[in-house]
Amino acid sequence: MARNRAWRIVVSTLVTLLLAAGYFMADINGMMPGPLTILPAGKTTPALAGSIRAAESVADSADLNKPIDKNGTESAINAFAATPGLGGDFSLAIADADGKIVDSRNPDTPREPASTMKTLTALAVSSTLDMGSSFHTDALLDPSPSGVSQPRQATLTLKSDGDMLLGAGASDPNHINGRAGLATLADESAAQLKKRNISQIHLNYDDTLFGAVRSPAAIASNNEGNTNFTGISSMAVDGGRQWKGVEHDPDLYSAYPAMSTTPAHDAAAVFGSLLAQRGIGVDAEIASGKVASGAKRVATITSATLAEVMAFTLRHSDNTLIEEFGRLLALKTGAANSPEGATRAVKAKLDKLGVDTANLHMADCSGLSEGSQLEVKTLVEVQSHNLKPGPGAAAGEGLSVPGFVGTAKNRLEDPSAAGLLRVKTGSLDQVTSMAGNVSRKNGGVLAFAVIVNKPQDYLAARKAVDAFISALAGL
């Protein structure tokens, strides 16, 4: 039994690796969209060292055409529908790798999706941005005043193109959260300032990237205590989470502390304190403003790849980061730099991918705001895209794996299905939902989605979803 379970996990992992290989080969062969083009003026992308090896096969392809037993789907759906306390406001669908629905209940009824909405944003973003690129955070020195070549005091500006997972310590290659560390930036900056005979600075930070409106209009309704979301910014330490000394793994945590409402200023304050520790005097007032024309970069740090950040986002169901990804998509595609521009950009990309968005209403990119509606078949079509290699693969690679990692780690009724599913959960007071794809025990695949609104017994409905997804692995 243990050997069979381990074999299934290996096969599921290899399928995921094949999807990743397809993504990178598409990028190498020019089939991917171009790199992210919202970096600060003058930024260059480091060249890859060495040559790129041709891709080699690591496993046979998954059988995307293996039929799905209709008797099995009916049995799983009937068992789910018979759950006491479920109520009548539910929809579900099971589809093959091409997105063709094999079995369903109420697939055309719009319902509130909660965080499964993030799968739409993830697919649109991953199919457009260069997910192999990274965020950069720079320390930029203002040009010297006319006639002064080496002033004793100068202005240094902290600027990032979107890294909200900065670390307060040294850059950490072993984690996504904190891959770019402000202590490393301070080391490089202090050394460069001292070379220029600068011992005292005025510190600014440029947080103008996302304009004036940083939050969807209705998101506060499900953000009591500011624990689920903070307005997006061009930079933040640990997403703006205020741990207050609580120890945690930067990439794996389950607690959700209050989030700062001034994450960019906080990052600049941390950077200023680190500079002071390195012998650079920093004026008490840290100002916000656009970086001066002609400013010179003296130091830079680089984040994890966007694909890694997307995985972190999906597995933690991070509302702030997915809203930021939506805004990056808007900037990339020329949509308005606003929450509404972000949702329009997501929908426009999904339309181009052939996803049915006829009854889609996005109150935001995350599903946290009240008012979002979609049909369950839209979620299934997104998951069918995630079963195919090529552009957009990062949207599937980063999903939670029941039994192992993410918000669905403990969401399986049958432990033998561990490692066979990649899913996104959704939870609000009146919503429990899940969407994902399955490496079936018989070698085939499928995509699924289920949404329950206003259950009579929330816990019973949640457990019914767990039992349903476990059954799918055996189809």
Side-chain angles (χ1 to χ4, degrees), residues 137 158 166-171 178 180-189 235-237 266-272 274-275 278 301:
T137 302
L158 182 67
L166 291 167
S171 294
L182 289 174
T184 298
L185 187 68
D187 285 339
E188 298 175 3
S189 299
M235 67 190 90
V237 174
D266 294 352
V270 169
F271 181 57
L274 291 166
L275 285 174
R278 287 153 178 77
I301 49 177

Side-chain angles (χ1 to χ4, degrees), residues 211-280:
V213 183
R214 307 298 182 89
S215 305
I219 206 162
S221 59
N222 288 317
N223 192 32
E224 184 178 356
N226 217 52
T227 57
N228 294 321
F229 173 80
T230 190
I232 64 172
S233 64
S234 61
M235 67 190 90
V237 174
D238 194 6
R241 284 169 281 270
Q242 299 176 309
W243 290 98
K244 297 182 179 179
V246 176
E247 294 292 329
H248 68 284
D249 186 312
D251 283 350
L252 298 171
Y253 57 85
S254 57
Y256 291 86
M259 303 175 78
S260 169
T261 57
T262 57
H265 180 275
D266 294 352
V270 169
F271 181 57
S273 176
L274 291 166
L275 285 174
Q277 294 171 22
R278 287 153 178 77
I280 302 297

Side-chain angles (χ1 to χ4, degrees), residues 279-355:
I280 302 297
V282 180
D283 291 352
E285 181 182 357
I286 299 175
S288 173
K290 196 169 181 63
V291 66
S293 176
K296 303 295 184 183
R297 186 185 305 110
V298 297
T300 190
I301 49 177
T302 304
S303 75
T305 65
L306 297 193
E308 291 174 297
V309 176
M310 180 63 80
F312 180 96
T313 300
L314 293 174
R315 288 173 182 167
H316 290 91
S317 200
D318 193 303
N319 298 295
T320 303
L321 291 179
I322 202 70
E323 293 294 341
E324 183 191 8
F325 270 120
R327 191 71 70 89
L328 292 171
L329 177 66
L331 291 172
K332 173 69 174 180
T333 59
N337 189 4
S338 67
E340 296 77 18
T343 56
R344 284 195 293 269
V346 170
K347 185 177 183 299
K349 183 61 182 181
L350 294 176
D351 288 338
K352 289 182 179 179
L353 291 171
V355 175

Side-chain angles (χ1 to χ4, degrees), residues 8 14 74 113 118 229 242 269 320 353 421:
R8 293 187 196 111
L14 291 176
E74 287 182 358
K118 291 181 175 69
F229 173 80
Q242 299 176 309
T320 303
L353 291 171
L421 298 94

